[in-house]
């Protein structure tokens, strides 16, 4: 007879993947609208998520965090409830079946004088053991981009892959590549282990 009360030596197992089973609790009304689309300050941020083979990922989810136009980091509560007036700096968007995402947001301002403004992005997708972190920089202020300490620490190709393109309608476009030759540079923060 087997003793079910004895505790054998246990071997740690790797973390679980982060998707694609997150669709039940994460979406909420207007989750990708940091400001109402079509409002005077609204800017559309669009893009697609690609895997290492260059195929679009149909089941990723992205979160963005950013300052407002003046570079102020919002401290208002209620990020999960949109009222159309309060900018909380947080948004979440699931990609569509073609791997495309869209946010209605504002152009972030620099949080410090001389620093390039950016949007922080977190990516959750199938096959990832942990979320990935990256940034989206605005393309206009080339002087601030050249002087930015983080961007300056990267080689030219990696810098280029963190800068969005601006459309004729003032929209921003930024594709995320999870692996491969054109892989998006991802960040590692202290305390965030693989």
């Amino acid at each position: 007879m087997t003793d079910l009360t004895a505790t054998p030596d246990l071997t740690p197992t790797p973390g679980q993947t982060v998707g694609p089973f997150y669709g039940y609790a994460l979406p909420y009304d207007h989750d990708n609208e940091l400001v109402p689309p079509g409002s005077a300050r609204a800017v559309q941020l669009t893009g697609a998520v690609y895997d290492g083979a260059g195929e679009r990922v149909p089941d990723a989810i992205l979160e963005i965090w950013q300052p407002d136009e003046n570079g102020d980091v919002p401290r208002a509560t209620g990020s999960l409830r949109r009222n159309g007036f309060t900018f909380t700096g947080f948004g979440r968007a699931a990609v569509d079946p073609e791997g495309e995402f869209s946010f209605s947001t504002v152009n972030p301002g620099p949080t410090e004088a001389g620093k390039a403004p950016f949007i922080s992005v977190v990516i959750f997708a199938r096959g990832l053991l942990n979320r990935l972190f990256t940034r989206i920089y605005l393309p206009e202020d080339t002087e601030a981009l050249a002087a930015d300490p983080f961007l300056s620490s990267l080689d030219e190709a990696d810098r280029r892959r963190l800068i969005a393109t601006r459309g004729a309608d003032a929209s921003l476009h930024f594709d995320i590549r999870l692996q491969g030759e054109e892989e998006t540079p991802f960040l590692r923060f202290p305390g965030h282990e693989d």
Side-chain angles (χ1 to χ4, degrees):
M1 179 178 258
T2 305
D3 181 5
L4 298 178
T5 61
T7 305
D9 291 335
L10 300 176
T11 304
T13 58
Q16 299 293 313
T17 59
V18 296
F21 40 78
Y22 38 66
Y24 166 69
L26 291 180
Y28 57 96
D29 288 340
H30 307 288
D31 54 359
N32 67 332
E33 298 175 6
L34 285 74
V35 295
S39 62
R41 58 199 284 218
V43 172
Q44 288 304 114
L45 168 61
T46 62
V49 179
Y50 295 88
D51 65 16
E55 300 294 323
R56 291 185 178 200
V57 176
D59 53 7
I61 192 165
L62 282 71
E63 292 180 350
I64 63 172
W65 298 83
Q66 69 172 88
D68 65 14
E69 303 97 318
N70 301 315
D72 296 324
V73 176
R75 307 258 187 251
T77 59
S79 291
L80 303 183
R81 292 183 302 275
R82 304 290 192 209
N83 64 13
F85 302 100
T86 306
F87 180 78
T88 62
F90 172 77
R92 180 181 291 147
V95 299
D96 67 16
E98 286 75 43
E100 297 178 359
F101 64 88
S102 176
F103 289 95
S104 178
T105 188
V106 299
N107 287 314
T111 55
E112 295 178 38
K115 290 212 175 169
F118 64 87
I119 299 169
S120 295
V121 183
V122 179
I123 303 107
F124 303 88
R126 60 181 154 97
L128 296 179
L129 296 179
N130 276 309
R131 63 198 184 272
L132 297 174
F133 301 88
T134 192
R135 292 178 174 179
I136 301 172
Y137 284 86
L138 303 184
E140 289 81 16
D141 192 345
T142 55
E143 189 174 308
L145 291 169
D148 185 83
F150 173 67
L151 287 176
S152 297
S153 72
L154 302 174
D155 66 42
E156 180 60 35
D158 285 344
R159 259 193 310 276
R160 177 183 47 78
R161 288 194 293 272
L162 289 177
I163 301 171
T165 56
R166 181 75 71 180
D169 61 353
S171 64
L172 292 168
H173 185 85
F174 186 82
D175 289 334
I176 296 170
R177 298 182 187 279
L178 300 176
Q179 291 180 314
E181 194 172 311
E182 290 292 311
E183 178 180 318
T184 300
F186 296 108
L187 307 167
R188 181 170 301 172
F189 294 99
H192 178 258
E193 302 300 324
D194 287 340

